[in-house]
Amino acid sequence: DAGVIQSPRHEVTEMGQEVTLRCKPISGHNSLFWYRQTMMRGLELLIYFNNNVPIDDSGMPEDRFSAKMPNASFSTLKIQPSEPRDSAVYFCASSAQGALNTEAFFGQGTRLTVV
Amino acid sequence: AQSVTQPDIHITVSEGASLELRCNYSYGATPYLFWYVQSPGQGLQLLLKYFSGDTLVQGIKGFEAEFKRSQSSFNLRKPSVHWSDAAEYFCAVGPSGYSTLTFGKGTMLLVSP
């Protein structure tokens, strides 16, 4: 398996523009997580899906952020409109809920810069 | 609420010397504990995990960690550091192996020649 695949790897956009980050989880995994990493706050969980259903979105900073998981093999994180303070590395991770002794596998991240 | 504290922001170790990275957690139940490593520009790679059983767990790349419930600690160790170990290390805690994780702020390891 290729692991968790995120695209794009880097994104530079102007303030006010819409940004869409994409994630393909590991095949067979039924849990998907979006994390944000910044120098100030470290790694923060934004949202968690299980079987394509959002379970916990309490970490989503505000209404400008939205996430979807239309099927088991694809998820998006959208920011509209984007702001400079959204600049961060966004990680997607997936895991197999219900499997014993498993863990979350992370993608390589999308580095977002909003100017 | 669960939390993870990594007291050391940076640590510098000479190549070949031993290493210990500290991690303290706060969690209301039996925790699932993890150490991840992040190389520059890369994602997080799992080094090792503790779910239950033996409190000394072995991981990849020669790392080990010891779970001490009485001290709420899960320190990462390596007997002899290699230059390729220079990276940022994150301790994490969660309610299970597959659920949401709370991460520490990370410890940046620098390896000197």
Side-chain angles (χ1 to χ4, degrees):
Chain A
D1 198 311
V4 176
I5 300 173
Q6 292 185 246
S7 64
R9 289 293 309 278
H10 302 273
E11 177 80 39
V12 180
T13 191
E14 291 185 345
M15 181 174 63
Q17 296 297 307
E18 175 182 302
V19 175
T20 299
L21 312 181
R22 297 172 176 78
C23 175
K24 182 181 187 311
I26 292 174
S27 177
H29 283 188
N30 54 7
S31 293
L32 184 139
F33 313 85
W34 282 100
Y35 287 87
R36 178 172 66 176
Q37 184 180 38
T38 61
M39 289 291 291
M40 290 298 294
R41 301 172 68 89
L43 274 156
E44 304 172 283
L45 177 71
L46 298 178
I47 188 168
Y48 157 44
F49 291 88
N50 187 46
N51 292 324
N52 312 338
V53 176
I55 303 301
D56 181 359
D57 65 354
S58 59
M60 295 286 265
E62 50 197 275
D63 292 344
R64 296 185 298 106
F65 285 69
S66 63
K68 294 182 179 179
M69 193 165 185
N71 56 61
S73 59
F74 184 65
S75 177
T76 59
L77 178 67
K78 184 181 293 186
I79 308 173
Q80 181 185 22
S82 58
E83 297 182 2
R85 60 192 168 118
D86 302 330
S87 297
V89 181
Y90 291 81
F91 287 102
C92 177
S94 70
S95 66
Q97 186 180 36
L100 293 177
N101 295 331
T102 187
E103 73 272 0
F105 293 82
F106 283 76
Q108 292 195 301
T110 295
R111 181 174 295 277
L112 173 64
T113 303
V114 183
V115 298
Chain B
Q2 58 202 48
S3 65
V4 177
T5 301
Q6 294 180 246
D8 305 305
I9 298 175
H10 297 97
I11 281 186
T12 300
V13 175
S14 298
E15 190 168 16
S18 63
L19 168 71
E20 182 169 29
L21 302 182
R22 295 183 291 165
C23 172
N24 291 96
Y25 67 90
S26 173
Y27 194 72
T30 300
Y32 287 72
L33 294 158
F34 307 81
W35 275 99
Y36 282 86
V37 61
Q38 184 180 28
S39 298
Q42 300 298 312
L44 283 80
Q45 181 184 22
L46 182 70
L47 283 177
L48 47 78
K49 59 195 177 190
Y50 171 77
F51 288 168
S52 64
D54 193 347
T55 56
L56 183 63
V57 293
Q58 304 295 321
I60 62 171
K61 304 184 181 185
F63 285 92
E64 67 178 26
E66 186 171 12
F67 170 56
K68 294 185 177 180
R69 184 186 299 275
S70 62
Q71 298 177 19
S72 297
S73 69
F74 189 57
N75 294 348
L76 182 71
R77 300 194 294 250
K78 186 171 184 178
S80 178
V81 169
H82 188 263
W83 64 267
S84 60
D85 294 324
E88 190 159 21
Y89 292 79
F90 293 90
C91 182
V93 64
S96 68
Y98 46 76
S99 186
T100 60
L101 298 177
T102 298
F103 285 87
K105 290 290 182 69
T107 297
M108 181 66 73
L109 172 65
L110 305 174
V111 180
S112 61

